[in-house]
Amino acid sequence: MPYPTHHRLNPLPTSILAVLVWVAAVVLSGCADQPRSRSASPNSPSSGIVALIAGEPIRADRLQRDLIERSGAWALSDLILDELLDRELDARGLNITQADIEAEEARFVRSGAGEADGVSPYVLLNRIRATNGLGADRYPRLLRRTAILRILVAMEAVPSEQEYELAQAIAFGPQYRVRLFVSPDRSAATALRNEVLAAQSSTPNSARWIFADACTVGSVHPSSARGGLIERISPDDPAYPPVLSQAVRDTPAMGISPVLAGDSGFMLAMVESITPAVEPTPEQMKSVRDQLTLRKEQAAMERLANQLIRESEIIVMDRALNKAWNDARTTEDIRP
């Protein structure tokens, strides 16, 4: 299994732009199994219809303003999600207010505050809007979609007390700076361990670099490009295999673990340093709780967007737009 490389609860990308990326992506990918290739004759009564959502037409004139700011397939994805979210909001008898929309913008501004040193968050916001085509029509609609999604998932996205406690243990518990070697071959891990132990007994300062060089050359873990370095591991983090977490706990600074068997191969961990647990302030504890809530909200928002797409019949009727739609779905590096 892959192992993450960031382990404290860092501020996640909760910006409206981040939400846009995955919302548009699920719209494009979620329609892959729906019929979409009916093309209207230019002389037929439906020639102005570019798509159907559950039988309801989307006409070309509704895309015109979007097309000024956004390519056809992405403009259509925005419009489809607008329609689906409005229907879901009505079905649940809910409403959003201007305050909800303003809160989304404020959340985005706060999330970008540390992204550019010396740059005002609102200046950064304007730059991102300009770069990504978030113009006068599309930008407020994007804020509105994000606000709707957040309201729709509000009840299901509340973390449990157990989740809060785990998040705090990961954020404020002891942290280990580790180099990790992973190989499908047990003998390679065993040989490296013996080499490092021999170096520690003769030239201790060289042991770290022997391990790092071996990671660069022979490790199959993503950290190999950094000499196996993982800046922080929390043994409380369930993202790591329990056998690795326990070995890290049991290994002293500048020590090396036994060879460990895992799903991805045979692992060997060198603990370079240990940062003791800290006593958080109330503000820090609140920050971790807020981050956890935002993470759960974002995951729930993505699930809901996927569900709405799966349960809706979406047919792209315009031939040119249908091609752009299919091209966008199959382009892995597409960005807004």
Side-chain angles (χ1 to χ4, degrees), residues 18 25 33 53-54 64 74 95 115 133 149 161 165 193 213 220 233 238 240 263 306-307:
D33 299 327
I53 304 176
Q64 292 308 306
W74 288 106
N95 293 290
E115 295 180 10
L149 279 166
E161 282 303 315
E165 291 172 3
R193 187 172 190 274
D213 289 344
V220 298
I233 283 183
Y240 294 102
D263 292 340
N306 273 299
Q307 177 186 339

Side-chain angles (χ1 to χ4, degrees), residues 12-27 70 74 77-78 81 85 104 107-108 111 134 138 141-150 153 294-295 297-303 305 336:
L12 72 163
T14 54
S15 71
I16 54 171
L17 184 59
V19 173
L20 166 70
V21 172
W22 60 254
V23 165
V26 298
V27 170
R70 196 146 165 82
W74 288 106
S77 75
D78 289 351
L81 200 58
L85 289 175
E104 290 299 328
R107 184 176 289 110
F108 173 64
S111 72
L134 292 169
R138 184 172 160 238
R141 285 173 50 209
L142 174 60
L143 289 173
R144 186 173 185 276
R145 282 196 298 275
T146 310
I148 293 175
L149 279 166
R150 201 175 304 279
V153 306
L294 289 171
R295 288 178 186 273
E297 284 178 347
Q298 186 165 337
M301 290 160 73
E302 184 173 357
R303 286 195 301 270

